[in-house]
Amino acid sequence: MSAVTATRILLADDHALVRRGLRLILDAEPDLTVVAEAPDGAEAIEAADSHDLDLAVLDIAMPRMTGIQAAREISRRAPKVRILMLSMYDNEQYFFESLKAGASGYVLKSVADRDLIEACRAAMRGEPFLYPGAVTSLIREYLQRNRDGGRLPDTILTPREEEVVKLIAEGNSTKEIADILVISAKTVDRHRANILSKLGMRDRLELTRYAIRVGLVEP
């Protein structure tokens, strides 16, 4: 694979030695290349603004601004940039805060040499990367909410946006969707843009996969 198609990565960690080690792991892969580094969250945001990035790998515990704060800001400014969090801690609170901040994966530093490359590739495929303990945490929280009679988290899409996703996934054109929902084509386009932004997706194919995954359409 040529360097042109390599995933462009920002690496943010306050320890230069850690950054160097992680960079060696990533740059050894033909489809991954580190194009920027940052020693804290604030500089990570600046780097995300000034570089054409595909992926930001952020350490959670950094001075000036944490990785979670940086993730939140990068998600807001550059929604197409995928985000992975790095942590020394198998900590449920950090993990859930990372997901809320827009991260698609959580990698423990202790096994970064084993997991980081796959986590980067999963993020670029639009798939979450969770270590086994994190998966257990998610399942436990889900079961606890159910047991307590609490409502499970709703989808982040509105009912109308779900209708639009379903119709897109079924292969309808903008005009056909507008006719079915009795709205203008411009409104359909606006819904589509909002949906892509909310889900961090780029095209009809990713939306179709999402629709199948959440049960809006049959595979």
Side-chain angles (χ1 to χ4, degrees):
M1 197 177 290
S2 68
V4 180
T5 58
T7 296
R8 293 157 303 197
I9 300 170
L10 159 66
L11 197 51
D13 192 292
D14 54 322
H15 295 101
L17 271 175
V18 173
R19 287 202 309 274
R20 192 175 308 150
L22 294 173
R23 183 169 196 149
L24 283 171
I25 292 169
L26 295 170
D27 281 347
E29 300 300 311
D31 58 327
L32 305 172
T33 181
V34 176
V35 296
E37 293 186 26
D40 59 56
E43 287 196 32
I45 291 167
E46 287 172 23
D49 282 342
S50 57
H51 289 79
D52 187 14
L53 298 174
D54 301 306
L55 176 66
V57 179
L58 309 172
D59 180 29
I60 279 185
M62 291 189 288
R64 275 179 75 200
M65 186 181 272
T66 69
I68 288 173
Q69 288 172 303
R72 212 173 281 131
E73 190 60 21
I74 291 169
S75 290
R76 189 180 69 77
R77 294 188 189 196
K80 289 185 178 174
V81 174
R82 306 285 165 90
I83 297 171
L84 286 177
M85 304 306 296
L86 274 175
S87 179
M88 288 173 62
Y89 307 105
D90 178 354
N91 178 300
E92 284 186 30
Q93 190 59 38
Y94 285 162
F95 165 63
F96 285 117
E97 288 300 321
S98 297
L99 295 187
K100 277 196 274 184
S104 60
Y106 189 98
V107 179
L108 294 177
K109 285 186 178 180
S110 56
V111 289
D113 56 335
R114 188 190 73 205
D115 286 355
L116 185 57
I117 290 164
E118 179 50 37
C120 289
R121 289 174 180 153
M124 294 316 298
R125 290 194 302 267
E127 297 169 6
F129 182 88
L130 310 174
Y131 65 96
V135 176
T136 305
S137 299
L138 274 177
I139 293 168
R140 188 163 58 241
E141 190 202 36
Y142 180 95
L143 293 173
Q144 187 63 47
R145 280 184 197 234
N146 227 359
R147 199 176 300 122
D148 294 346
R151 272 157 39 85
L152 295 168
D154 289 330
T155 172
I156 58 170
L157 300 182
T158 65
R160 176 44 62 97
E161 286 169 346
E162 284 195 340
E163 282 182 299
V164 172
V165 170
K166 181 170 167 51
L167 291 167
I168 290 171
E170 288 169 349
N172 294 286
S173 67
T174 298
K175 185 181 181 313
E176 286 167 339
I177 295 170
D179 290 345
I180 292 165
L181 298 179
V182 198
I183 55 177
S184 70
K186 194 176 283 186
T187 302
V188 174
D189 287 338
R190 193 168 65 243
H191 280 312
R192 184 191 282 109
N194 287 339
I195 292 161
L196 289 171
S197 175
K198 277 185 181 182
L199 299 176
M201 293 177 182
R202 301 173 196 212
D203 55 32
R204 176 186 284 266
L205 181 60
E206 287 188 316
L207 280 181
T208 302
R209 286 186 187 135
Y210 168 82
I212 291 168
R213 197 166 65 241
V214 299
L216 290 173
V217 294
E218 293 279 326

